[in-house]
Every structure is written in C-alpha cells, then in structure tokens.
Amino acid sequence: KRPPGRGPPPHRIAGADALWPSRAMATVTQLVLRCMVSCAALACLIGGITSLLLATQGKHEHGIHSYASAVQAWGSQRGPFDALSRVELHAAVMMNTTEVVELEGNSSNETGERQVETLHEADARLARRKAPDPFKGSEEEVEVPDYRATLFSARPVDADAPATEGPEGVLPAGFLPNASFETLEQRRFEVFQREGTLVNFTLRLDGQVLVLDPVPLVRAVAHWEPEGMYDHCIDGGGAHAIGGKCWVFQRLLRVCVQVAQDADGAWRLAPRVEDDNSSYGCSYSRGSWAAATYENVHLPFLISQDWGYEENRAFSFDDFTLSVRSAHDPLFTALALTRGSMSFGWTQAEEDVFGIVLIIIGVVLCFQPMRAICLGYWKQRRGPREISNGRYPGAGDTSPWNNISPKSWHSRQKDPHPETLGMRYAPDEGSQNHEREHDP
C-alpha cells in the first residue's frame, strides 16, 4: 500500500506528460481572453467618462441656441438682399477649336487643320426664389425655429420650375459649351489635380459687378489608393496611374456664392475664412467653403504614362445651376456649427445616459480581471503550501494533478517538509497505539 502524501500515482504522472501541451495552449488562450476583456473594460470606462465630460459642455444646446440667434437676426439683416431687383450672370469660356483651312501656295486646293481660340459667351438673368427650411424632416426640426431663406438662382429649362417665371431664372440651352478631358493640365503647382477648360463667371447685382475666380468645367483629382483586394478606385469612376495614384474625373454641376454689403453699401463676395479670398462658396467641407460643386463621371478609358486617353468624349452641362445667397443666411451658421453634417449631435441627457451605461459595462467587465489579479496576489503572499492545505501541492484538491506538470512535481518532491525533517525512520504513532492494544 502506497503511504499517504507520497505524491501522485505513476499513471497520473504519465498522463500529465501527454496532456501538458494542450493545457499550455489553454492557459495561453485564457490569458489572451483576459487581456481582451481588460482592454474592452478600459475602453468602456474611458468612453463613459469622456461622454460625461462632453455632456457638461452642452454642445447640442449651445448649437441650437446659436442657430436660433442667427434665425432671429436674419429678420433684420435680410432687407438689403431682398431689395435686389436685378441679378444677372455672364459666362465667358475661352476654347481651343480645330479649324479647317486651305493651304497657301497649293494649286490642288489641299486643306489642313489648325488650332484656333474662340470665345464662348452667354448671359442669363437670375430669379428670386424661396429656399426650404434646411432642417425640414430632420430630428432637430422640433428644436430649431422655422425660416425660409431668399436666394437668386438660374437653372435649366427642364427643371421643375414654375412656368410663370418666363426668361428669368432659366439658363438657355448651350449656356456652357461641351468640354472634354483632353484639355486637362496641371495648374497652380497642384500635383494631385488636373484642370480642364476654364469658365469665367461675372455677376451683376443692380449694376454692381462681382468677378468670380475661374472655374474649371472638368477636372481630375488624385488620391493614394493601392491596387489589390481593397481597391475601390474603379467603383468610384476612377482610373489607376503610375505610382499608386487613383484619378477621379469630375464635371461641373453647380456654383453657389455668398454676397454681402460693405460699410459703403456696395455689394461684394463674402469670404468666410479670413486668409482665403476664395472661400465665398456655399459648399462646406472640412473647414473650407467651395463655390463649385462637381460630380464624378465614369469614363471608358485608361491613363497612359504620357497622360494619353482612349475613347475620350465630351460632356455637356445641361443640368448646370447657379445660385446667389446672402452671407447672413442662417444656413451657413448651421453648416459651420455642425461641420457640414446638419446635425447638432446628442443632447446632454443622451450623453449622460450613454456615459453611465458605458461605465456600468466597464465595471462588469473588470470583475474577472480584478479577480484574477487579487487571487494571484493572495497566492503569492500566503505561499503554495498553505493554500494546498497538505504536505504536497494540490493534496487537498479533488483533482490535484490537473494543473501541475511532472517536472514541477518532482522538483517540489525533493524539498522535504520541515515537520518530517530527520524523521524518515520514525515509527508511526497510529501503528504504535495499535500494537499496544493487541499486545498480550
């Protein structure tokens, strides 16, 4: 009979050698899961505290109040803009056309071709229209005041405009000439942009002339996008070029500008960025205000190394529109406050609830990692022999050898217990009492 407390049975030690690699893998997996849970708990706690701090700033309420103030001030500032009686638009495009000419000094009447610059000009009169409330149908509709802005615009004949407008507000057919992407070239030291034929717009507000910056009819904008599985260049109508650039081709869709009166009562273009004189547009994107808006087009050609094209074609601009708005329009205040999203974000109550929920989830997720840390610290302080409640590690556990390797067991087996040190051949107290009872 094997004496008690002399270590595990031999078959248990042999089985532990076979199961040791799988147990090590399970230990590593458990450690990775604990790290993931710890990271998730930390992220929830940080997110909850951040949400509570943002709630104290009241950005939603501040944005609603600022927009309401702009709508209230619009009632007194719209007078000069509403008093405009005549707003006209003039467009001038310098185009390169091919002209067939007869060769000089040739008796056989042979002809040739030459490039000639021609000036395309067109005029239109803008009509007064009412713009709908920008927050109509949105979540902030019940919180913001209602208003209708006034603007002057001109659009194509086939647009859904009232038939009583007459020639005002209607762009004639061929107002802008067709443009081809063969005219693309690099301008103003912009490596990631190519511009085509330029159009010069001139506005006349009750006889006062406002000149806009030249606007390209077509352009190509490049960005870095490597080819491979996650390549979306072709999906967006672009084409790959040498160097990993994706060129997206665009055509002019509309132009919208802001105007205001100076101290002398003269009309001028109203830039919204102090150091950018071209920031008088109505389209907001990443802190900049652009006057021209473009749309992507899909072209069935490839870009060669010398910037050549195949199967190129010209595009028309029959759906082009142009608008003139007052710089005091509350729409621009809303765009600046919401950074172009037209949403003031969550309310203070919503951010408070979200932050509390995240903190509760973080505390719950922290329970398991904290339990593991406290248990490890407790074992380190008390020692493995006091925890096992036996002479050898794991002696009091129902499955003592599941988490102990044979190597560690043999190393611990060489260390004698202090109580049995020097008593290897000492008689057992129980056996002596038994012998005394049966002694005749």
Side-chain angles (χ1 to χ4, degrees):
K1 182 178 179 181
R2 184 176 57 87
R6 289 298 182 179
H11 68 278
R12 298 297 299 271
I13 296 179
D17 289 334
L19 297 177
W20 178 247
S22 61
R23 290 171 183 168
M25 183 62 66
T27 304
V28 173
T29 304
Q30 186 179 11
L31 181 61
V32 173
L33 291 177
R34 287 180 179 178
C35 292
M36 294 175 61
V37 172
S38 302
C39 294
L42 183 61
C44 290
L45 292 176
I46 295 176
I49 296 174
T50 304
S51 180
L52 293 178
L53 293 177
L54 292 177
T56 58
Q57 300 178 3
K59 291 185 177 181
H60 178 89
E61 290 73 15
H62 174 70
I64 294 293
H65 177 72
S66 300
Y67 178 74
S69 302
V71 173
Q72 185 178 2
W74 168 248
S76 59
Q77 296 172 346
R78 63 184 302 174
F81 187 77
D82 290 343
L84 288 173
S85 59
R86 191 178 184 87
V87 179
E88 296 175 326
L89 173 65
H90 176 76
V93 182
M94 186 64 69
M95 302 182 60
N96 293 326
T97 59
T98 303
E99 183 181 9
V100 179
V101 295
E102 184 177 351
L103 299 179
E104 297 180 358
N106 193 341
S107 59
S108 58
N109 297 328
E110 294 182 359
T111 59
E113 296 181 354
R114 67 176 180 179
Q115 296 291 331
V116 180
E117 290 187 352
T118 59
L119 181 63
H120 175 89
E121 295 182 298
D123 295 282
R125 184 174 178 180
L126 280 64
R128 186 192 310 271
R129 291 188 174 93
K130 295 292 184 180
D133 187 1
F135 289 99
K136 188 69 174 179
S138 63
E139 296 180 357
E140 287 83 2
E141 182 181 3
V142 296
E143 300 183 73
V144 298
D146 187 14
Y147 95 104
R148 294 183 65 86
T150 302
L151 58 89
F152 292 88
S153 65
R155 49 195 180 187
V157 180
D158 57 349
D160 51 352
T164 57
E165 289 185 350
E168 293 187 3
V170 176
L171 294 177
F175 180 79
L176 293 178
N178 296 347
S180 172
F181 284 94
E182 293 180 349
T183 60
L184 292 178
E185 60 182 6
Q186 182 178 346
R187 295 190 178 96
R188 295 177 295 185
F189 304 101
E190 295 184 3
V191 180
F192 289 87
Q193 183 168 331
R194 302 287 191 273
E195 297 179 353
T197 305
L198 299 178
V199 54
N200 297 280
F201 292 108
T202 304
L203 290 173
R204 296 187 181 91
L205 280 66
D206 287 345
Q208 302 182 26
V209 178
L210 304 180
V211 180
L212 279 64
D213 293 337
V215 178
L217 293 176
V218 291
R219 69 178 185 180
V221 182
H223 64 274
W224 293 106
E225 186 160 356
E227 301 182 20
M229 181 182 301
Y230 303 100
D231 181 13
H232 301 285
C233 182
I234 300 179
D235 298 338
H240 274 290
I242 298 176
K245 294 181 181 179
C246 174
W247 288 92
V248 180
F249 300 89
Q250 302 173 337
R251 72 181 187 92
L252 183 64
L253 184 62
R254 60 179 173 269
V255 173
C256 180
V257 298
Q258 306 177 40
V259 296
Q261 275 187 326
D262 54 17
D264 299 332
W267 289 101
R268 59 175 178 82
L269 298 172
R272 302 195 72 89
V273 181
E274 184 177 358
D275 299 333
D276 188 3
N277 294 330
S278 61
S279 61
Y280 48 77
C282 307
S283 179
Y284 180 88
S285 176
R286 299 179 181 179
S288 61
W289 299 83
T293 302
Y294 293 83
E295 70 170 357
N296 297 344
V297 295
H298 294 264
L299 298 178
F301 60 71
L302 301 175
I303 303 178
S304 62
Q305 187 174 1
D306 56 351
W307 199 257
Y309 301 94
E310 299 177 2
E311 302 182 12
N312 196 5
R313 59 189 178 92
F315 285 87
S316 63
F317 303 90
D318 296 335
D319 55 349
F320 171 76
T321 61
L322 188 138
S323 303
V324 179
R325 305 184 72 129
S326 173
H328 303 290
D329 196 325
L331 171 65
F332 304 124
T333 302
L335 288 174
L337 291 173
T338 62
R339 297 182 180 181
S341 64
M342 297 302 291
S343 176
F344 292 102
W346 287 2
T347 62
Q348 186 174 0
E350 292 173 343
E351 289 184 343
D352 285 335
V353 173
F354 182 69
I356 293 173
V357 170
L358 285 181
I359 291 177
I360 293 175
I361 295 176
V363 171
V364 173
L365 293 178
C366 282
F367 174 76
Q368 182 65 22
M370 293 301 298
R371 175 181 175 277
I373 293 174
C374 295
L375 184 60
Y377 179 75
W378 179 70
K379 288 182 178 180
Q380 185 180 5
R381 290 292 302 272
R382 299 196 62 181
R385 299 187 182 277
E386 298 182 11
I387 297 174
S388 61
N389 295 325
R391 180 172 298 180
Y392 295 98
D397 193 1
T398 57
S399 57
W401 318 115
N402 291 336
N403 297 323
I404 301 178
S405 64
K407 184 177 180 180
S408 62
W409 162 251
H410 288 297
S411 62
R412 295 183 181 183
Q413 190 178 10
K414 296 180 182 179
D415 187 14
H417 197 276
E419 297 179 0
T420 61
L421 184 64
M423 301 177 63
R424 180 176 181 180
Y425 302 100
D428 187 34
E429 183 178 356
S431 61
Q432 292 179 1
N433 295 334
H434 181 71
E435 292 176 0
R436 290 174 184 176
E437 291 177 0
H438 293 80
D439 190 13

